[in-house]
Amino acid sequence: MAKRPLKKVEKIILIGFATLGAMLVALWLLDKQPNRAYLLPEGFEGWVAIRYSVEGAPPIPVKNGVLQFVISDSGTLETSDPLVVGWRRDDYYSQAESQEPARFPVAVNTDSGYQLRVFLHNYYSKDWTPLLHSLPVGTDTMMNDGTRLNKISESEVKYVTGKKTLEYFYLSAQPRSIMFSPPPNPRMEGLTSTEDRHITQP
């Protein structure tokens, strides 16, 4: 039985779907970033803080095409690399001294329900607002992360947030319920400037 030739409308629809699919693949490839390995001290529990674009800090090493984020015992890491967010795979490892890193799952399904080890993994801008109080009136300056500070008068300033340079997450030593609330982040001062805003001082 001979196949029915496609109607013009059907051809247009097929071409449209093919074009859309090609565009989505191209966007995914353009936004693809190197995969990451977070190497954490064995038994570590607490907040992890990674600061990007730190002048004089070392770049993140790469092993077999995977970025190696070696977290210190204090849960911190500084790098001169800029923060770039995109499609990638994140793996987490526990590393004891003189031993090979052991990968652990972020989420597990237990008899008591779905549980996690990594909480509140997110990216933030540095908070420069404390500096505004010490700037002279008329100051219009750009910080190294692109934050714009313009002190119009003693009571009015313009604050425009720059690029995100901070990464935070809470790591639990054992899987916990998804309803678990981590303790307060001791570095919360870096999490307050997440959007552009106009500030009026009292």
Side-chain angles (χ1 to χ4, degrees):
M1 181 176 174
K3 292 184 177 180
R4 176 180 64 84
L6 294 175
K7 295 180 180 179
K8 186 175 182 180
V9 174
E10 293 173 329
K11 289 181 179 179
I12 293 173
I13 292 173
L14 284 175
I15 292 171
F17 275 116
T19 303
L20 179 61
M23 289 175 62
L24 290 173
V25 171
L27 287 173
W28 182 85
L29 290 174
L30 286 172
D31 206 29
K32 179 71 172 69
Q33 300 297 325
N35 294 333
R36 296 182 173 196
Y38 293 89
L39 308 176
L40 297 130
E42 185 178 37
F44 179 88
E45 178 164 357
W47 285 99
V48 174
I50 301 171
R51 294 184 178 273
Y52 294 84
S53 301
V54 177
E55 188 175 352
I60 299 298
V62 181
K63 182 178 180 181
N64 298 326
V66 178
L67 293 170
Q68 307 289 304
F69 287 75
V70 182
I71 308 301
S72 68
D73 291 341
S74 64
T76 59
L77 173 65
E78 292 187 344
T79 176
S80 57
D81 290 346
L83 194 162
V84 181
V85 180
W87 296 99
R88 65 171 194 267
R89 188 185 73 196
D90 291 344
D91 289 319
Y92 299 82
Y93 295 83
S94 177
Q95 187 171 27
E97 190 174 353
S98 303
Q99 293 183 14
E100 284 295 313
R103 182 177 176 272
F104 61 84
V106 172
V108 293
N109 195 1
T110 68
D111 294 337
S112 57
Y114 199 63
Q115 297 188 329
L116 302 175
R117 288 195 59 186
V118 176
F119 295 84
L120 303 177
H121 197 159
N122 216 330
Y123 306 93
Y124 304 89
S125 301
K126 185 173 181 180
D127 183 19
W128 294 99
T129 51
L131 183 62
L132 288 167
H133 301 287
S134 60
L135 292 175
V137 172
T139 299
D140 188 357
T141 187
M142 183 85 72
M143 308 310 292
N144 57 6
D145 62 355
T147 298
R148 188 72 174 266
L149 305 176
N150 182 7
K151 191 165 185 179
I152 301 166
S153 67
E154 287 295 345
S155 62
E156 189 176 13
V157 297
K158 178 69 175 178
Y159 186 106
V160 180
T161 306
K163 296 178 181 179
K164 291 179 172 60
T165 58
L166 305 169
E167 178 179 0
Y168 289 96
F169 62 87
Y170 186 87
L171 177 70
S172 173
Q174 300 296 329
R176 296 179 183 266
S177 165
I178 59 175
M179 303 303 294
F180 168 70
S181 295
N185 188 337
R187 305 175 183 89
M188 189 59 71
E189 77 280 356
L191 309 182
T192 58
S193 300
T194 56
E195 60 183 19
D196 294 357
R197 63 191 189 275
H198 194 266
I199 303 172
T200 299
Q201 299 176 10

